[in-house]
Amino acid sequence: MVQTLPRRVLGGLLLLIAVPLSPVAAATGFLATASADVTTSVPVFAVAGLAFAALVAALLGRAAFALLGKGWRPTAYFAGGLVVAVAVLAGATVFRPMPVSAASPLPSGVRVWNLPTGSRIAYVHAPATGRARPTPVVFLHGGPGTPGEGIPVGGRELAAAGFDVYSYDQVGAGRSTRLADITGYTVARQVADLDAIRRTLGADQIVIIGQSWGGSLAAQYLAAHSSHVAKAVFTSPGALWGHEYPGSTAGDPWDRLPPAQRARLDKLYSMPRILAADLLLDVNPGAAHALVGDREVDHWMHEVALTGKDSTSCQGAPPTEAHNNPQGFYSNQIIQKDFEQVPDPRPKLRTAHVPSLIMRGECDFIRPGVTYEYRQTLPNSELVTIKGAGHAISRGRPQLYTALLRAFLLGMPLPATAS
């Protein structure tokens, strides 16, 4: 009895190890055979992972049988069945691919810049009419990773006033490049892309108009290249410096949603593959990318955006019009983390005497202090509050928003109704 106890203890330990190890083995097999983006081949790699898990379970089970002896075999059979069940459960959840958006050609009017930074950037252009002005206008979308579709509100009116107007999908979002190495999504890459766009346009100076995260990016560009900015507009801007507001600049805007929409968002966020990718991002971003590819996770993020699209408007505002330009999940996640690590831009911004307009909607969910910091930091700036508008001022008050842009860029007095 004394001699057989260590064998039985060891056999029992093998069974205890086999059960939790089976999903780990499945994941190891999956990631060992996966490429950087396995969206189109996920079932193949899932089968490979599960086969590896079955092999591990079989080997551990055989060893356990040999150590435990005949009297313990029913327990071993039960544990073996449990191992298989866990592996199957992993295959049906973590390794079961989510839907993906169908690939489609570039819509009419969408063009591409192949920048020297290596980014392939999709953009739209509203050419100037009438008396052309030398300074192009570049709109920066929010997110990170949440582009709009087409020429933004106010863009065509600015083109009619003589400005060449551009709006582009930032790297990792929309119809632009998805990076094989997702750690390449950095604030510095975004700034470098914007400066490469300026040089591609042949412009010594540009006007930048940033919405939400686009406002944060505009500030980063202004800090790095103030001599190349003629004017800047910050519309419901995000944090001026990510380190000061880690994680979030506000409470949860989704609290404004009806229960049915909130329940759908909770369901989307509880999907096993998303939970697995989120956990892996903190440990091994490449493994997260291998497990859940771009098309799959961007489709998921688009569903989240469609479900929560009305959460940032004033109460009672009409529903937001949806579009099909895809979001970029990994650019969103990685850039947010990187934004918390970048140097403080405020010392440089305090010396940037670039005319700047800051807009805030009265229903904006972002903390007022985030917006006010722009006014306190930028020496040649003006802040206006827009009644009846939420985070997306161009959606809540499009005519007033357009009038403000036009007046500011043309050097005219701002509309009195802005305050």
Side-chain angles (χ1 to χ4, degrees), residues 67-83:
L67 291 169
L68 289 171
K70 293 182 180 181
W72 284 75
R73 288 195 175 187
T75 303
Y77 284 129
F78 172 78
L82 187 58
V83 167

Side-chain angles (χ1 to χ4, degrees), residues 319-336:
T320 304
E321 185 177 349
H323 65 77
N324 292 317
N325 198 12
Q327 278 72 23
F329 175 83
Y330 288 116
S331 65
N332 174 275
Q333 295 295 301
I334 300 297
I335 290 173
Q336 284 191 73

Side-chain angles (χ1 to χ4, degrees), residues 13 21 37 41 60 75 85 98 100 141 145 156 164-165 172 188 238 246 313 317 324 329 347 354-355 358 366 371 402:
L13 286 175
L21 188 62
D37 183 354
S41 305
L60 289 174
T75 303
M98 300 182 296
V100 300
H141 67 70
R156 299 201 180 280
D164 270 307
V165 175
S313 303
N324 292 317
F329 175 83
V354 174
I358 307 153
I366 289 183
T371 312
T402 299

Side-chain angles (χ1 to χ4, degrees), residues 228-291:
H228 293 303
V229 181
K231 290 187 177 182
V233 179
F234 303 90
T235 307
S236 303
L240 197 58
W241 184 33
H243 181 76
E244 190 175 16
Y245 296 97
S248 175
T249 56
D252 188 352
W254 291 344
D255 289 339
R256 306 178 182 184
L257 290 174
Q261 288 175 281
R262 184 60 196 245
R264 172 162 172 73
L265 285 171
D266 291 341
K267 182 178 180 180
L268 285 167
Y269 270 93
S270 64
M271 297 181 75
R273 283 175 66 77
I274 293 300
L275 294 173
D278 186 56
L279 288 172
L280 281 172
L281 274 174
D282 291 329
V283 179
N284 186 336
H289 192 212
L291 176 63

Side-chain angles (χ1 to χ4, degrees), residues 142-235:
T146 56
E149 183 74 281
I151 299 296
V153 172
R156 299 201 180 280
E157 289 78 3
L158 294 179
F163 294 96
D164 270 307
V165 175
Y166 298 88
S167 179
Y168 70 96
D169 299 343
Q170 295 159 26
V171 64
R175 301 179 180 95
S176 291
T177 299
R178 298 301 190 274
L179 301 180
D181 178 6
I182 62 174
T183 61
Y185 294 124
T186 63
V187 175
R189 175 66 173 263
Q190 298 279 357
V191 170
D193 279 351
L194 179 52
D195 199 53
I197 288 169
R198 177 191 63 79
R199 287 183 274 113
T200 298
L201 297 177
D204 181 60
Q205 289 191 317
I206 55 176
V207 172
I208 47 179
I209 302 175
Q211 158 70 30
S212 193
W213 151 253
S216 301
L217 175 56
Q220 289 289 321
Y221 186 80
L222 187 58
H225 302 286
S226 61
S227 63
H228 293 303
V229 181
K231 290 187 177 182
V233 179
F234 303 90
T235 307

